[in-house]
Amino acid sequence: MTGKDKIADLKATAEQMVAIGKGILAADESSGTIEKKFAKVGIACTEDSRRAYRELFFTTPGIGKYISGVILYDETIRQSASNGEKFVTILENTGVLPGIKVDQGLKEMEGSPNEKVTKGLEGLPERLKEYAGMGARFAKWRAVITIGDGLPTDSNIKQNVGILAEYARACQDAGIVPIVEPEVLMDGSHDISACRDASEMTLSAVFDALRSADVAIDGMILKTNMVIPAKECPKQATPEEIAEATLGLFRKVLPKELVGQAFLSGGQSELEATANLNAINKRGPFPWKMSFSYGRALQNSALKAWNGKAENVKSAQEIFIHRAEMNGLATMGKYSKDMEEE
Ligand code: 13P
């Protein structure tokens, strides 16, 4: 395959990932994160309970209607459902693209202990090759940027975007679409303009680094935060204000050739994440698709309803597919709050 054909393939996959009316389910929580989530609702965290949890989502009837792809975790991409069928095969059979988280979590940054850098570049090309052989069509790498006193530092942004670019390049070399995820955290009490400033510095640096590493911008998906006040900011914002601020920034920094941007939910409630995405898409069309790649905002209520019990699977699946449908509508600006069930 020529380089040109390879990019065309990556672009076709990227377009599928952000197809209109659909988005991505981020089901790639590490076993440690799942353990914390399960502990909150009193579910024991074992390989089997984690398998049952993933199976609930992946076997939800109609998932392929609203979900274009699922980000898996290393354990999950190797697992099978209770009927013995590989999760990857189950997803492929419903038209859902399997993806894989390839970063290996965060570590404290040297010289700035309140900031983090992402681990996992070592051995990455070999792991990508293995995952591609298992059916992974795209990958994810998350970098976090912290707002605080004197933060983010330029050196934290520089390190994180350099690593993101190296990861993205390795993915494209392996024929896998990289989801490039720089997340400005919602932790703390900063206001919307602090989020905008940090997001602008980060995204500008991300695209500079990607270009320097010769990453094909039309063969990747961006996954970033909305421009939004921190969780404890006394002045919260309306969906319209969030949409205005986010789009103002995106128009300035996102390249036109980018196929799509899939938001993370980052600590927004399920309803906020849907309403904000809808407000953004109401202002479209844009040069890029505006989709979702939610973890918590697609799974939290379903997890509570499931509560680790087989008899609750069906009602949990109904809750999940409803959220997926609402977010699918929000990718078209066609969602309204009165579509929520009581
Ligand atoms: P949230 O939507 O819960 O923020 O998760 C998305 C994700 O994949 C973070 O890396």
Side-chain angles (χ1 to χ4, degrees):
M1 212 183 335
T2 67
K4 232 175 161 180
D5 289 342
K6 206 167 177 180
I7 304 295
D9 271 7
L10 293 169
K11 187 174 180 188
T13 303
E15 279 166 351
Q16 248 180 290
M17 290 163 69
V18 291
I20 195 83
K22 294 188 186 186
I24 297 164
L25 168 65
D28 60 328
E29 301 88 348
S30 67
S31 302
T33 302
I34 292 263
E35 185 160 20
K36 284 184 215 139
K37 281 180 141 200
F38 279 11
K40 277 193 199 147
V41 283
I43 304 170
C45 189
T46 63
E47 189 182 341
D48 211 45
S49 65
R50 293 193 294 271
R51 182 201 49 71
Y53 179 57
R54 308 299 197 190
E55 181 167 345
L56 180 169
F57 291 100
F58 305 166
T59 61
T60 294
I63 181 177
K65 213 167 152 194
Y66 312 114
I67 299 295
S68 57
V70 173
I71 315 174
L72 302 166
Y73 181 60
D74 181 74
E75 175 183 79
T76 328
I77 198 170
R78 301 170 195 278
Q79 270 175 329
S80 300
S82 46
N83 68 0
E85 213 176 341
K86 286 255 172 229
F87 279 145
V88 169
T89 312
I90 290 176
L91 293 173
E92 285 168 348
N93 288 345
T94 46
V96 176
L97 297 168
I100 180 77
K101 169 198 177 81
V102 298
D103 68 69
Q104 295 178 325
L106 307 170
K107 65 173 185 199
E108 222 173 69
M109 183 173 130
E110 246 174 75
S112 183
N114 293 325
E115 294 184 296
K116 303 273 189 286
V117 287
T118 309
K119 300 182 287 187
L121 283 182
E122 209 185 310
L124 181 62
E126 292 74 29
R127 284 191 287 131
L128 286 169
K129 206 168 155 205
E130 187 193 7
Y131 289 138
M134 291 169 142
R137 303 285 304 281
F138 65 93
K140 172 191 121 169
W141 184 287
R142 172 176 179 253
V144 303
I145 303 296
T146 307
I147 296 180
D149 199 9
L151 305 184
T153 60
D154 289 342
S155 57
N156 181 256
I157 292 178
K158 197 160 171 242
Q159 272 194 38
N160 271 311
V161 304
I163 295 169
L164 273 171
E166 198 176 321
Y167 141 81
R169 183 59 212 248
C171 286
Q172 292 190 338
D173 287 346
I176 286 183
V177 173
I179 294 184
V180 173
E181 181 179 3
E183 173 177 3
V184 174
L185 296 172
M186 279 176 80
D187 298 340
S189 58
H190 59 262
D191 64 9
I192 194 167
S193 70
C195 176
R196 189 198 139 113
D197 291 349
S199 302
E200 178 166 355
M201 282 195 286
T202 304
L203 290 178
S204 306
V206 163
F207 285 103
D208 285 348
L210 290 168
R211 287 200 187 90
S212 307
D214 248 339
V215 172
I217 303 295
D218 56 353
M220 60 162 271
I221 294 293
L222 177 69
K223 169 167 175 165
T224 197
N225 52 283
M226 295 178 190
V227 175
I228 193 166
K231 278 177 244 171
E232 282 146 40
C233 175
K235 195 174 178 307
Q236 289 298 312
T238 63
E240 288 66 36
E241 288 165 342
I242 291 165
E244 282 300 318
T246 303
L247 290 167
L249 171 61
F250 282 5
R251 289 202 173 94
K252 195 167 164 195
V253 295
L254 297 199
K256 290 214 168 33
E257 65 270 32
L258 179 70
V259 172
Q261 149 36 50
F263 290 103
L264 54 95
S265 60
Q268 299 177 48
S269 72
E270 291 177 347
L271 296 189
E272 283 165 354
T274 308
N276 291 338
L277 179 64
N278 189 62
I280 288 169
N281 277 305
K282 270 197 156 173
R283 285 160 170 72
F286 318 108
W288 346 267
K289 292 278 173 16
M290 290 286 171
S291 185
F292 58 93
S293 174
Y294 293 159
R296 286 163 283 181
L298 277 171
Q299 298 174 115
N300 274 0
S301 297
L303 168 61
K304 273 193 211 126
W306 173 54
N307 202 22
K309 297 190 178 74
E311 65 265 29
N312 296 335
V313 164
K314 197 165 171 286
S315 50
Q317 288 182 330
E318 280 164 10
I319 291 170
F320 164 58
I321 202 74
H322 174 70
R323 287 265 49 84
E325 182 181 5
M326 294 301 104
N327 285 305
L329 288 168
T331 67
M332 301 179 280
K334 290 184 178 166
Y335 164 79
S336 79
K337 203 154 177 248
D338 55 22
M339 295 167 176
E340 300 292 351
E341 291 147 344
E342 288 306 309

